[in-house]
Amino acid sequence: MKKLLTLTALAVFMFTGGQSLAQEKKLITIGTDATWPPFEFVDEKKDLVGFSVEYMKAAAQEGGYEVKIINAAWDGIFGGLINKQYDAICSSVTITDERRKTMDFSTPYFKVSQAVIVPKDSPVKTFDDLKGKTAGSQIGTTGTFAITKAKTINSRPYDEVGLAVEDLYLGRIDAVVCDDAVASNFILENERYKEKLKIALVMDTPESDEYYGVAVRKGDAETLALINKGIEGVKAKGIDKELHSKWISAE
């Protein structure tokens, strides 16, 4: 009888253990360049915070998977995805046709436009007014693409957009081009910049609209499906609007 009970207990253990393994959630690691407030940045406690960081955690909850967010330098962040240092990138990455050639994108989760930051006494009112001037931007971003596409503007790319804004403040360049919410954050959150800098314009037309998406390796359908499920859940419950009020509208 004791032997029978022991075998029964073992069978129950194996069965419940199998259930536990079957219910284990997939872990998705996400790379982000935490230099792009208010979307992803490092706070005074050295924690990764921001709109996108909280969005990805909420999406994991809604999508039924675990998430681990890794701070990675923008220069090389896409190479890190290809080399499997992480499973996805959520770092204010604009979905473009060129990027679609080498990676797949989730459902868009945020709309932005390019903004131009200049000194308060600058006469710049349109993008054409930057002709012959030097504009800074973060390397490899759509801000840099917009500057180089114009061909009449001297482009000065930086590893981080914050370095470009600081050089503008010090008078070393004439303007900075970056996403509108990021521009607002730098102008409104830093008292030094608020006194001396302004947003001259936002290129807000249907043709200039950009959409952030989460990038995954080409053909990784499983990861993409989970992330999309999470994003859909976040939108369905209005969590995205709550995060927008907290991180974006509050500015």
Side-chain angles (χ1 to χ4, degrees):
M1 179 64 73
K2 182 183 289 187
K3 185 176 181 180
L4 180 60
L5 288 173
T6 302
L7 290 173
T8 302
L10 179 60
V12 171
F13 174 80
M14 292 178 66
F15 178 73
T16 55
Q19 276 190 323
S20 177
L21 290 174
Q23 293 173 354
E24 185 176 347
K25 294 181 179 179
K26 177 181 174 64
L27 173 65
I28 296 178
T29 55
I30 297 179
T32 190
D33 172 32
T35 62
W36 202 250
F39 294 99
E40 51 271 341
F41 61 102
V42 179
D43 67 9
E44 62 278 1
K45 296 179 181 179
K46 307 301 181 184
D47 293 326
L48 285 175
V49 297
F51 175 89
S52 298
V53 173
E54 289 197 25
Y55 199 114
M56 286 298 98
K57 290 179 180 178
Q61 181 70 28
E62 297 302 314
Y65 57 90
E66 301 288 344
V67 68
K68 179 181 179 181
I69 302 177
I70 300 170
N71 196 357
W74 180 257
D75 182 19
I77 198 169
F78 297 113
L81 177 64
I82 294 171
N83 294 328
K84 299 185 178 180
Q85 294 175 21
Y86 25 81
D87 304 307
I89 298 172
C90 181
S91 192
S92 302
V93 181
T94 297
I95 302 170
T96 67
D97 290 338
E98 188 65 26
R99 286 171 175 164
R100 283 186 185 277
K101 294 177 182 178
T102 56
M103 62 195 81
D104 290 331
F105 280 95
S106 70
T107 301
Y109 67 89
F110 198 87
K111 182 178 81 71
V112 296
S113 296
Q114 291 304 303
V116 179
I117 308 173
V118 296
K120 281 195 171 180
D121 60 356
S122 172
V124 170
K125 293 182 178 179
T126 69
F127 202 69
D128 290 339
D129 291 338
L130 292 175
K131 181 178 180 180
K133 299 184 182 297
T134 300
S137 58
Q138 183 163 322
I139 190 170
T141 63
T142 47
T144 298
F145 301 159
I147 294 169
T148 55
K149 184 179 180 181
K151 296 182 179 180
T152 59
I153 306 170
N154 300 316
S155 176
R156 185 172 298 177
Y158 293 78
D159 289 337
E160 298 178 12
V161 69
L163 299 176
V165 176
E166 181 65 14
D167 264 7
L168 176 63
Y169 175 79
L170 295 174
R172 294 170 178 165
I173 55 178
D174 302 301
V176 170
V177 180
C178 63
D179 297 347
D180 51 359
V182 176
S184 296
N185 181 272
F186 273 105
I187 299 301
L188 299 178
E189 292 296 317
N190 187 301
E191 291 300 324
R192 293 168 63 234
Y193 297 157
K194 184 189 297 186
E195 293 177 1
K196 192 173 180 179
L197 305 178
K198 67 178 181 180
I199 297 175
L201 69 139
V202 175
M203 293 179 279
D204 192 11
T205 65
E207 295 77 20
S208 64
D209 285 346
E210 300 178 9
Y211 294 89
Y212 290 163
V214 181
V216 302
R217 280 185 293 278
K218 201 73 175 174
D220 188 354
E222 180 185 2
T223 299
L224 187 62
L226 284 171
I227 291 174
N228 278 337
K229 180 181 178 182
I231 291 175
E232 289 167 6
V234 167
K235 291 180 177 179
K237 289 188 176 180
I239 299 171
D240 56 334
K241 293 181 175 61
E242 294 174 8
L243 294 177
H244 194 285
S245 296
K246 177 179 178 179
W247 292 102
I248 313 298
S249 300
E251 299 176 4

